[in-house]
Amino acid sequence: MAGMTRMMTTTRNRALRVGAGLVLAALVAALPGTADAGKITVYTSYEEDELASFLEAMKKDVPDVEVDVLRLSTGDLKARILAEASNPKHDVIWGWAATSMVDPRILAMIEPYTPAGIEKVPERFRDKDGRWFATTGYMGAFCVNNEIMAKEGLPMPSSWQDLIKPEYKGKLVMPNPASSGTGYLHIASILQMMGEEKGWAYLDELDKNIDQYIKSGSKPCNVASAGEFAIGLSFALRAIKNIDEGYPITMVIPSEGAGHELEANALMASSQNKEDAKKFLDWTLSKSAEEQYNKWKSIVTMQGRTMPEKFKKAGLPDDISTVLFEMDYAWAAANQERIVAEWQRRYEK
């Protein structure tokens, strides 16, 4: 990653995150009052490959701001931020689940900020009090194997209601919401759109057609793409990538609307270098940043997006908001533990 924003620093109290044989980040744990001008620390949950692409573009656009990055999964990052609550080590949260950001303990650490260009982000994708805003996200989708459907004479589903038809018995695989964020967004969206009583009744029926609950959010799409199952409940970007690679699948966005998760950004109130932190947050709304998001993300919230051709070919509309179910992120966050426990009691196999 030579030539891009420096991601490694050899100072005291550094924290390393290693994955897939690569050193992903190093963190300067600066003491209060010792922040270096022109340098900020960013915590993120963006995937490694997209993160590298985003940071390379940012360095070209804002060369006077040096960024040290710590990349952790959503749950691990939340644990880290809460553990450091009395002495936060970072200036910015970037690309992190909105359902985690809205935790009152997290919100208490955030300083409201109105970045340049925020008017491009619809109000539904930002906090009403200005504490966070989301530029990207991911959405649920069905991956349907065309060859199996044709061979077995099965109809192409178009909705959640279609999936409980008896002809799909044993044909479905789905992520486990206890281990998969994608699995949870599916369950949370169903309970919100139907109401809990009808939602659980629907999930009882859906369970009859599920062959397996899988830990990963992407694997249901992968096994459907490989012809092991007819339908995998997964997320849109995985379907788009598999279609682009030539797998015989159709991506279906449920007609009731797709559950989704936003990846949000925020300024830490404890930051010792807020001017540079604000420059970074301003950049996340820039045209250059948007061009990078378009290469990697199924949801880009900024209005006027030009949808990539391979995304449109797979079935995404130019205006992504037309196919999203309007999630209540605070509700999804506040009720996650209860919902997952109830789901496990009913369906875990």
Side-chain angles (χ1 to χ4, degrees):
M1 298 184 182
M4 58 178 272
T5 300
R6 183 165 66 91
M7 298 177 67
M8 297 188 62
T9 306
T10 53
T11 60
R12 64 177 176 271
N13 298 331
R14 76 177 182 178
L16 297 179
R17 174 70 174 175
V18 180
L22 297 175
V23 176
L24 301 180
L27 168 65
V28 176
L31 295 174
T34 64
D36 296 326
K39 181 167 68 176
I40 62 172
T41 296
V42 174
Y43 283 5
T44 185
S45 287
Y46 276 133
E47 295 297 326
E48 297 95 321
D49 48 4
E50 59 195 27
L51 175 61
S53 179
F54 298 165
L55 286 172
E56 186 172 12
M58 180 266 165
K59 182 60 178 176
K60 292 176 182 177
D61 295 339
V62 194
D64 58 329
V65 176
E66 184 179 339
V67 181
D68 286 332
V69 174
L70 177 68
R71 190 267 168 198
L72 294 171
S73 65
T74 298
D76 289 346
L77 189 55
K78 185 172 185 177
R80 175 94 182 204
I81 293 172
L82 291 175
E84 295 176 349
S86 62
N87 184 24
K89 304 293 194 287
H90 58 298
D91 303 282
V92 169
I93 300 173
W94 181 36
W96 193 44
T99 50
S100 293
M101 192 79 82
V102 298
D103 185 314
R105 296 170 296 176
I106 303 296
L107 291 177
M109 303 182 215
I110 293 172
E111 179 175 309
Y113 175 58
T114 303
I118 192 62
E119 67 280 357
K120 294 185 289 186
V121 177
E123 290 184 4
R124 66 185 288 194
F125 300 125
R126 45 187 162 113
D127 178 55
K128 63 181 178 62
D129 297 318
R131 293 168 293 185
W132 60 266
F133 63 97
T135 50
T136 61
Y138 59 93
M139 58 187 284
F142 311 156
C143 297
V144 184
N145 186 287
N146 302 324
E147 295 176 348
I148 293 177
M149 302 301 277
K151 180 180 179 181
E152 300 188 16
L154 295 170
M156 181 67 65
S158 63
S159 66
W160 282 109
Q161 287 299 325
D162 284 345
L163 295 188
I164 62 174
K165 293 178 178 178
E167 54 262 44
Y168 294 130
K169 185 174 178 61
K171 306 294 185 184
L172 278 60
V173 287
M174 175 178 179
N176 185 324
S179 58
S180 164
T182 302
Y184 182 66
L185 73 82
H186 285 313
I187 301 302
S189 65
I190 287 169
L191 295 178
Q192 288 186 39
M193 69 177 64
M194 298 182 186
E196 288 208 46
E197 183 176 352
K198 291 182 179 179
W200 285 116
Y202 169 83
L203 290 170
D204 287 345
E205 295 302 308
L206 182 67
D207 180 66
K208 296 175 183 177
N209 288 350
I210 300 286
D211 184 88
Q212 292 181 31
Y213 293 104
I214 300 175
K215 289 185 176 181
S216 164
S218 59
K219 191 172 181 180
C221 189
N222 289 339
V223 296
S225 298
E228 297 176 36
F229 291 92
I231 303 172
L233 310 187
S234 187
F235 58 94
L237 191 62
R238 174 49 55 192
I240 292 165
K241 286 184 175 180
N242 287 7
I243 290 170
D244 190 52
E245 291 173 9
Y247 287 97
I249 62 169
T250 293
M251 179 178 71
V252 174
I253 307 299
S255 59
E256 299 93 338
H260 64 281
E261 177 66 274
L262 296 179
E263 295 163 317
N265 312 324
L267 173 67
M268 293 296 292
S270 58
S271 171
Q272 297 294 308
N273 197 358
K274 287 181 181 173
E275 290 309 306
D276 288 310
K278 290 175 180 179
K279 286 182 184 179
F280 179 87
L281 288 168
D282 289 349
W283 176 84
T284 68
L285 288 167
S286 69
K287 188 65 177 177
S288 175
E290 182 181 0
E291 289 172 357
Q292 291 299 317
Y293 303 150
N294 277 335
K295 297 175 184 179
W296 296 94
K297 311 304 295 188
S298 57
I299 297 176
V300 178
T301 65
M302 289 179 280
Q303 295 172 320
R305 176 191 193 186
T306 300
M307 187 65 68
E309 194 58 38
K310 71 176 182 179
F311 286 27
K312 291 195 289 186
K313 185 178 178 180
L316 284 188
D318 284 318
D319 183 0
I320 201 73
S321 67
T322 62
V323 296
L324 297 179
F325 175 73
E326 192 159 349
M327 300 282 289
D328 182 337
Y329 310 113
W331 183 91
N335 291 281
Q336 185 169 5
E337 185 175 338
R338 174 181 64 83
I339 289 169
V340 168
E342 178 64 13
W343 184 92
Q344 290 177 307
R345 184 186 72 79
R346 288 174 179 251
Y347 312 122
E348 201 153 67
K349 299 178 180 179

